[in-house]
Amino acid sequence: MTASPEERTAIPYLHKLVREHRALNRRIDTTKTAGAREDIKVLKRRRLRLKDKIAALQHRYHGRGLTS
């Protein structure tokens, strides 16, 4: 099965989102030790938005080889 142009664009985008999500996880972990509560809230909201985008893309292309 050949990937559509949309899928060829979505795959790198999904990988980018996953990398950003992982980077935010690391940043949240290091920020926790610094004790910046408000910063952590902002980072967690951003991380949740990324997670939602990742889940939506994975759901949309489920079964077509698009994985994180």
Side-chain angles (χ1 to χ4, degrees):
M1 175 189 233
T2 305
S4 70
E6 183 181 348
E7 289 172 331
R8 287 192 297 269
T9 303
I11 292 169
Y13 181 62
L14 176 62
H15 290 279
K16 176 183 174 275
L17 293 177
V18 170
R19 284 191 305 273
E20 286 181 36
H21 188 269
R22 288 179 184 153
L24 277 173
N25 278 335
R26 289 189 298 273
R27 189 166 173 198
I28 289 168
D29 288 342
T30 58
T31 304
K32 282 181 184 177
T33 59
R37 293 176 113 190
E38 287 302 313
D39 291 340
I40 291 173
K41 286 181 184 179
V42 170
L43 293 173
K44 284 184 174 183
R45 279 190 219 109
R46 194 165 145 208
R47 180 181 62 179
L48 184 58
R49 283 193 301 271
L50 282 172
K51 183 178 177 183
D52 290 343
K53 286 181 183 180
I54 291 166
L57 279 171
Q58 288 174 332
H59 179 73
R60 182 173 184 174
Y61 296 105
H62 179 73
R64 298 188 199 168
L66 185 65
T67 59
S68 58

Coordinates of all heavy atoms in Angstrom, one line a residue:
M1 N 0.8 -1.2 0.0 CA 0.0 0.0 0.0 C 0.9 1.2 0.0 O 1.8 1.4 0.8 CB -0.9 0.0 1.2 CG -1.7 1.2 1.4 SD -2.6 1.2 3.0 CE -4.2 1.5 2.5
T2 N 0.6 2.1 -0.9 CA 1.4 3.4 -1.0 C 0.8 4.5 -0.2 O -0.4 4.6 -0.2 CB 1.4 3.8 -2.5 OG1 1.9 2.8 -3.3 CG2 2.3 5.0 -2.7
A3 N 1.6 5.2 0.5 CA 1.1 6.3 1.4 C 0.7 7.4 0.5 O 1.3 7.8 -0.5 CB 2.2 6.7 2.3
S4 N -0.4 8.0 0.9 CA -0.9 9.2 0.2 C 0.0 10.4 0.6 O 0.8 10.4 1.5 CB -2.3 9.5 0.7 OG -2.3 10.0 2.1
P5 N -0.1 11.5 -0.2 CA 0.7 12.7 0.1 C 0.4 13.2 1.5 O 1.3 13.7 2.2 CB 0.3 13.7 -1.0 CG -0.2 12.9 -2.1 CD -0.8 11.6 -1.5
E6 N -0.8 13.1 1.9 CA -1.2 13.6 3.2 C -0.5 12.7 4.3 O 0.0 13.3 5.3 CB -2.7 13.5 3.4 CG -3.2 14.0 4.8 CD -4.7 13.8 4.9 OE1 -5.4 13.6 3.9 OE2 -5.1 14.0 6.1
E7 N -0.4 11.4 4.1 CA 0.3 10.5 5.0 C 1.8 10.8 5.1 O 2.4 10.8 6.1 CB 0.0 9.1 4.7 CG -1.4 8.7 5.0 CD -1.8 7.3 4.5 OE1 -1.2 6.8 3.5 OE2 -2.6 6.6 5.1
R8 N 2.3 11.1 3.9 CA 3.8 11.3 3.8 C 4.1 12.6 4.6 O 5.2 12.8 5.1 CB 4.2 11.4 2.4 CG 4.3 10.0 1.7 CD 5.0 10.1 0.4 NE 4.4 10.9 -0.6 CZ 3.5 10.5 -1.5 NH1 3.2 9.3 -1.5 NH2 3.0 11.4 -2.4
T9 N 3.2 13.5 4.7 CA 3.4 14.8 5.5 C 3.1 14.5 6.9 O 3.8 15.0 7.8 CB 2.4 15.9 5.0 OG1 2.7 16.1 3.6 CG2 2.6 17.1 5.7
A10 N 2.1 13.7 7.2 CA 1.7 13.4 8.6 C 2.8 12.6 9.4 O 2.9 12.9 10.6 CB 0.4 12.7 8.6
I11 N 3.4 11.7 8.7 CA 4.4 10.9 9.4 C 5.5 11.7 10.1 O 5.8 11.6 11.3 CB 5.0 9.8 8.5 CG1 3.8 8.8 8.2 CG2 6.1 9.1 9.1 CD1 4.1 7.8 7.1
P12 N 6.2 12.6 9.3 CA 7.3 13.4 9.9 C 6.7 14.3 11.0 O 7.3 14.6 12.0 CB 7.9 14.2 8.8 CG 7.5 13.5 7.6 CD 6.2 12.7 7.9
Y13 N 5.5 14.8 10.8 CA 4.9 15.7 11.7 C 4.6 15.0 13.0 O 4.8 15.5 14.1 CB 3.6 16.3 11.1 CG 2.8 17.2 12.1 CD1 3.4 18.4 12.5 CD2 1.5 16.9 12.5 CE1 2.7 19.3 13.3 CE2 0.9 17.8 13.3 CZ 1.5 19.0 13.7 OH 0.8 19.8 14.6
L14 N 4.1 13.7 12.9 CA 3.9 12.9 14.1 C 5.2 12.7 14.9 O 5.2 12.8 16.1 CB 3.2 11.6 13.7 CG 3.0 10.6 14.9 CD1 2.1 11.2 15.9 CD2 2.5 9.3 14.4
H15 N 6.2 12.4 14.2 CA 7.5 12.1 14.8 C 8.0 13.4 15.5 O 8.6 13.3 16.6 CB 8.5 11.6 13.8 CG 8.2 10.2 13.4 ND1 8.6 9.1 14.1 CD2 7.6 9.7 12.3 CE1 8.2 8.0 13.5 NE2 7.6 8.4 12.4
K16 N 7.8 14.5 14.9 CA 8.2 15.8 15.5 C 7.4 16.0 16.8 O 7.9 16.5 17.8 CB 7.9 17.0 14.5 CG 8.1 18.3 15.1 CD 7.8 19.4 14.0 CE 7.9 20.8 14.5 NZ 6.7 21.2 15.2
L17 N 6.1 15.8 16.8 CA 5.2 15.9 18.0 C 5.7 15.0 19.1 O 5.8 15.4 20.3 CB 3.8 15.7 17.7 CG 3.1 16.7 16.7 CD1 1.6 16.2 16.5 CD2 3.1 18.1 17.3
V18 N 6.1 13.8 18.8 CA 6.5 12.8 19.8 C 7.8 13.3 20.4 O 8.0 13.3 21.6 CB 6.7 11.4 19.2 CG1 7.4 10.5 20.1 CG2 5.3 10.9 18.8
R19 N 8.7 13.8 19.6 CA 10.0 14.4 20.1 C 9.7 15.6 21.0 O 10.3 15.7 22.1 CB 10.9 14.8 19.0 CG 11.6 13.6 18.3 CD 12.7 14.1 17.3 NE 12.3 15.1 16.3 CZ 11.8 14.8 15.2 NH1 11.6 13.6 14.8 NH2 11.4 15.8 14.3
E20 N 8.8 16.4 20.6 CA 8.5 17.6 21.5 C 7.9 17.1 22.8 O 8.2 17.7 23.9 CB 7.5 18.5 20.8 CG 8.1 19.3 19.7 CD 7.1 20.2 19.0 OE1 6.2 20.8 19.7 OE2 7.2 20.4 17.8
H21 N 7.0 16.1 22.7 CA 6.4 15.6 24.0 C 7.4 15.0 24.9 O 7.4 15.3 26.1 CB 5.4 14.5 23.6 CG 4.5 14.1 24.7 ND1 4.9 13.0 25.5 CD2 3.3 14.5 25.2 CE1 3.9 12.8 26.4 NE2 3.0 13.7 26.2
R22 N 8.4 14.3 24.4 CA 9.4 13.7 25.2 C 10.3 14.8 25.8 O 10.7 14.7 27.0 CB 10.3 12.8 24.4 CG 9.6 11.5 24.1 CD 10.4 10.6 23.2 NE 9.6 9.4 22.9 CZ 9.9 8.6 21.8 NH1 10.8 8.9 21.0 NH2 9.1 7.6 21.6
A23 N 10.6 15.8 25.0 CA 11.4 16.9 25.5 C 10.7 17.7 26.7 O 11.3 18.1 27.7 CB 11.7 17.9 24.4
L24 N 9.4 17.8 26.5 CA 8.6 18.5 27.6 C 8.6 17.6 28.8 O 8.7 18.1 29.9 CB 7.1 18.7 27.1 CG 6.9 20.0 26.3 CD1 5.5 20.0 25.8 CD2 7.2 21.2 27.2
N25 N 8.5 16.3 28.7 CA 8.6 15.4 29.8 C 9.9 15.6 30.6 O 9.9 15.8 31.8 CB 8.5 13.9 29.4 CG 7.1 13.5 29.2 OD1 6.1 14.0 29.8 ND2 6.9 12.5 28.4
R26 N 11.0 15.7 29.9 CA 12.3 15.9 30.5 C 12.3 17.3 31.2 O 12.8 17.5 32.3 CB 13.4 15.8 29.5 CG 13.7 14.4 29.1 CD 14.9 14.3 28.2 NE 14.9 15.0 27.0 CZ 14.4 14.6 25.8 NH1 13.9 13.4 25.8 NH2 14.4 15.4 24.8
R27 N 11.8 18.3 30.5 CA 11.8 19.7 31.1 C 10.9 19.7 32.3 O 11.3 20.4 33.3 CB 11.3 20.6 30.0 CG 11.5 22.1 30.4 CD 11.3 23.0 29.2 NE 11.3 24.4 29.7 CZ 10.8 25.4 29.0 NH1 10.3 25.1 27.8 NH2 10.8 26.6 29.5
I28 N 9.8 19.1 32.3 CA 8.9 19.1 33.5 C 9.6 18.4 34.6 O 9.6 18.9 35.8 CB 7.6 18.4 33.2 CG1 6.7 19.3 32.2 CG2 6.8 18.0 34.4 CD1 5.5 18.6 31.6
D29 N 10.3 17.3 34.4 CA 11.0 16.6 35.4 C 12.1 17.5 36.1 O 12.3 17.5 37.3 CB 11.6 15.3 34.9 CG 10.6 14.2 34.7 OD1 9.5 14.3 35.2 OD2 10.9 13.3 33.9
T30 N 12.8 18.2 35.2 CA 13.9 19.1 35.8 C 13.3 20.3 36.4 O 13.9 20.8 37.4 CB 14.9 19.5 34.7 OG1 14.2 20.2 33.6 CG2 15.6 18.3 34.1
T31 N 12.2 20.8 36.0 CA 11.5 22.0 36.6 C 10.9 21.6 37.9 O 10.9 22.5 38.8 CB 10.4 22.5 35.6 OG1 11.0 22.8 34.4 CG2 9.8 23.8 36.2
K32 N 10.5 20.4 38.1 CA 9.9 20.0 39.4 C 11.0 20.1 40.5 O 10.7 20.6 41.6 CB 9.5 18.5 39.3 CG 8.2 18.3 38.7 CD 7.8 16.8 38.7 CE 6.5 16.6 38.0 NZ 6.2 15.1 37.9
T33 N 12.2 19.8 40.2 CA 13.3 19.9 41.2 C 13.6 21.4 41.5 O 14.0 21.7 42.6 CB 14.6 19.2 40.7 OG1 15.0 19.8 39.5 CG2 14.3 17.7 40.5
A34 N 13.3 22.3 40.6 CA 13.5 23.7 40.8 C 12.4 24.3 41.6 O 12.5 25.4 42.2 CB 13.7 24.4 39.5
G35 N 11.2 23.7 41.6 CA 10.1 24.1 42.4 C 9.3 25.3 41.7 O 8.6 26.0 42.5
A36 N 9.3 25.4 40.5 CA 8.5 26.5 39.8 C 7.1 25.9 39.4 O 6.9 25.4 38.3 CB 9.3 26.9 38.5
R37 N 6.2 26.1 40.3 CA 4.8 25.6 40.1 C 4.1 26.1 38.9 O 3.5 25.3 38.2 CB 4.0 25.8 41.4 CG 4.5 25.1 42.6 CD 3.7 25.5 43.8 NE 2.9 24.3 44.2 CZ 1.9 24.4 45.1 NH1 1.6 25.6 45.6 NH2 1.3 23.3 45.4
E38 N 4.1 27.4 38.7 CA 3.4 28.0 37.6 C 4.0 27.5 36.2 O 3.2 27.2 35.3 CB 3.3 29.5 37.6 CG 2.4 30.0 38.7 CD 1.0 29.6 38.5 OE1 0.4 29.6 37.4 OE2 0.4 29.1 39.5
D39 N 5.3 27.5 36.2 CA 5.9 27.0 35.0 C 5.5 25.5 34.7 O 5.3 25.2 33.5 CB 7.5 27.1 35.1 CG 8.0 28.5 35.1 OD1 7.2 29.4 34.7 OD2 9.1 28.7 35.6
I40 N 5.4 24.7 35.7 CA 5.1 23.3 35.5 C 3.6 23.2 34.9 O 3.4 22.4 34.0 CB 5.2 22.5 36.8 CG1 6.7 22.4 37.2 CG2 4.6 21.2 36.7 CD1 6.9 21.8 38.5
K41 N 2.7 24.1 35.4 CA 1.3 24.0 35.0 C 1.3 24.4 33.5 O 0.6 23.7 32.7 CB 0.5 25.1 35.7 CG 0.1 24.6 37.1 CD -0.7 25.7 37.8 CE -1.0 25.4 39.2 NZ -1.9 26.4 39.8
V42 N 2.0 25.4 33.1 CA 2.0 25.8 31.6 C 2.6 24.6 30.8 O 2.1 24.3 29.7 CB 2.9 27.1 31.5 CG1 3.1 27.4 30.0 CG2 2.2 28.2 32.1
L43 N 3.7 24.0 31.3 CA 4.4 23.0 30.5 C 3.5 21.7 30.4 O 3.4 21.1 29.4 CB 5.7 22.6 31.2 CG 6.8 23.6 31.1 CD1 8.0 23.2 32.0 CD2 7.2 23.9 29.7
K44 N 2.8 21.4 31.5 CA 1.9 20.3 31.5 C 0.7 20.5 30.5 O 0.3 19.5 29.8 CB 1.4 20.0 32.9 CG 2.4 19.3 33.7 CD 1.8 18.9 35.1 CE 2.8 18.1 35.9 NZ 2.3 17.7 37.2
R45 N 0.2 21.7 30.5 CA -0.9 22.0 29.5 C -0.4 21.8 28.1 O -1.1 21.2 27.2 CB -1.5 23.4 29.7 CG -2.4 23.5 30.8 CD -3.1 24.9 30.8 NE -3.3 25.3 32.2 CZ -2.6 26.3 32.8 NH1 -1.7 27.0 32.1 NH2 -2.8 26.6 34.1
R46 N 0.7 22.3 27.8 CA 1.3 22.2 26.5 C 1.6 20.7 26.1 O 1.3 20.3 25.0 CB 2.6 23.0 26.5 CG 3.2 23.2 25.1 CD 4.2 24.3 25.1 NE 5.2 24.0 24.2 CZ 6.5 24.3 24.2 NH1 6.9 25.0 25.3 NH2 7.3 24.0 23.3
R47 N 2.1 20.0 27.1 CA 2.3 18.5 26.9 C 1.0 17.8 26.6 O 1.0 16.9 25.7 CB 3.0 17.9 28.1 CG 3.3 16.5 28.0 CD 3.9 15.9 29.2 NE 3.1 16.0 30.4 CZ 3.4 15.6 31.6 NH1 4.5 15.0 31.8 NH2 2.5 15.7 32.6
L48 N -0.1 18.2 27.3 CA -1.4 17.5 27.1 C -1.9 17.8 25.7 O -2.4 16.9 25.0 CB -2.4 18.0 28.1 CG -3.7 17.3 28.1 CD1 -3.6 15.8 28.2 CD2 -4.6 17.9 29.2
R49 N -1.7 19.1 25.2 CA -2.2 19.4 23.9 C -1.4 18.6 22.8 O -2.0 18.1 21.8 CB -2.0 20.9 23.6 CG -3.1 21.8 24.2 CD -3.0 23.2 23.7 NE -1.8 23.9 23.9 CZ -1.5 24.6 25.0 NH1 -2.3 24.7 26.0 NH2 -0.3 25.2 25.1
L50 N -0.1 18.4 23.1 CA 0.7 17.6 22.1 C 0.2 16.2 22.2 O 0.1 15.5 21.1 CB 2.2 17.7 22.5 CG 3.0 18.9 22.1 CD1 4.4 18.9 22.8 CD2 3.1 19.0 20.6
K51 N 0.0 15.6 23.3 CA -0.5 14.3 23.5 C -1.8 14.1 22.7 O -2.0 13.1 22.0 CB -0.7 13.9 24.9 CG -1.1 12.5 25.2 CD -1.2 12.2 26.6 CE -1.7 10.8 26.9 NZ -1.9 10.5 28.3
D52 N -2.7 15.1 22.8 CA -4.0 15.0 22.1 C -3.8 15.0 20.6 O -4.4 14.2 19.8 CB -4.9 16.1 22.5 CG -5.4 16.0 23.9 OD1 -5.3 14.9 24.5 OD2 -5.9 17.0 24.5
K53 N -2.9 15.8 20.1 CA -2.6 15.9 18.7 C -2.0 14.5 18.2 O -2.4 14.0 17.1 CB -1.6 17.0 18.3 CG -2.2 18.4 18.4 CD -1.1 19.4 18.0 CE -1.6 20.8 18.1 NZ -0.6 21.8 17.8
I54 N -1.1 14.0 19.0 CA -0.5 12.7 18.7 C -1.5 11.6 18.6 O -1.6 10.8 17.6 CB 0.6 12.3 19.7 CG1 1.8 13.3 19.6 CG2 1.1 10.9 19.5 CD1 2.8 13.2 20.7
A55 N -2.4 11.6 19.6 CA -3.5 10.5 19.6 C -4.4 10.7 18.4 O -4.8 9.7 17.8 CB -4.2 10.6 20.9
A56 N -4.7 11.9 18.1 CA -5.6 12.2 16.9 C -5.0 11.7 15.6 O -5.7 11.0 14.8 CB -6.0 13.6 16.8
L57 N -3.7 12.0 15.4 CA -3.0 11.5 14.2 C -3.0 10.0 14.2 O -3.2 9.4 13.1 CB -1.6 12.1 14.1 CG -1.5 13.5 13.6 CD1 -0.1 14.0 13.7 CD2 -2.0 13.6 12.1
Q58 N -2.6 9.4 15.3 CA -2.5 7.9 15.3 C -3.9 7.3 15.1 O -3.9 6.3 14.4 CB -1.9 7.5 16.7 CG -0.5 7.8 16.8 CD 0.1 7.5 18.2 OE1 -0.7 7.5 19.2 NE2 1.3 7.2 18.3
H59 N -4.9 7.9 15.6 CA -6.3 7.3 15.4 C -6.7 7.5 13.9 O -7.2 6.5 13.3 CB -7.3 8.0 16.3 CG -8.7 7.6 16.1 ND1 -9.1 6.4 16.5 CD2 -9.7 8.2 15.5 CE1 -10.4 6.2 16.2 NE2 -10.8 7.3 15.6
R60 N -6.3 8.6 13.3 CA -6.7 8.9 11.9 C -6.1 7.9 11.0 O -6.6 7.5 10.0 CB -6.3 10.3 11.6 CG -6.7 10.7 10.2 CD -6.5 12.1 9.9 NE -7.0 12.5 8.6 CZ -7.0 13.7 8.2 NH1 -6.7 14.7 8.9 NH2 -7.5 13.9 6.9
Y61 N -4.8 7.6 11.3 CA -4.0 6.7 10.3 C -3.8 5.3 10.9 O -2.9 4.6 10.4 CB -2.7 7.4 10.0 CG -2.9 8.7 9.3 CD1 -2.7 9.9 10.0 CD2 -3.2 8.7 8.0 CE1 -2.9 11.1 9.3 CE2 -3.4 9.9 7.3 CZ -3.2 11.1 8.0 OH -3.4 12.3 7.3
H62 N -4.6 4.9 11.9 CA -4.5 3.6 12.4 C -4.5 2.5 11.4 O -5.4 2.5 10.5 CB -5.6 3.3 13.5 CG -5.5 2.0 14.1 ND1 -4.5 1.6 15.0 CD2 -6.2 0.9 13.9 CE1 -4.7 0.4 15.4 NE2 -5.7 -0.1 14.7
G63 N -3.6 1.6 11.4 CA -3.6 0.5 10.5 C -2.9 0.8 9.1 O -2.9 0.0 8.2
R64 N -2.4 2.0 9.0 CA -1.7 2.4 7.7 C -0.2 2.5 7.9 O 0.4 3.1 7.1 CB -2.3 3.7 7.2 CG -3.8 3.6 6.9 CD -4.2 4.8 6.2 NE -5.7 4.9 6.3 CZ -6.4 6.0 6.0 NH1 -5.7 7.1 5.6 NH2 -7.6 6.0 6.1
G65 N 0.3 2.0 9.0 CA 1.7 2.1 9.2 C 2.2 3.4 9.8 O 3.4 3.6 9.9
L66 N 1.3 4.2 10.3 CA 1.7 5.5 10.9 C 1.8 5.2 12.4 O 0.8 5.1 13.0 CB 0.7 6.6 10.6 CG 1.1 7.9 11.1 CD1 2.3 8.4 10.4 CD2 -0.1 8.9 10.8
T67 N 3.0 5.1 12.9 CA 3.2 4.9 14.3 C 4.2 5.9 14.8 O 5.0 6.5 14.1 CB 3.7 3.5 14.6 OG1 4.9 3.3 13.9 CG2 2.7 2.4 14.1
S68 N 4.2 6.0 16.1 CA 5.2 6.9 16.8 C 6.4 6.1 17.1 O 7.3 5.9 17.3 CB 4.6 7.5 18.0 OG 4.2 6.5 18.9

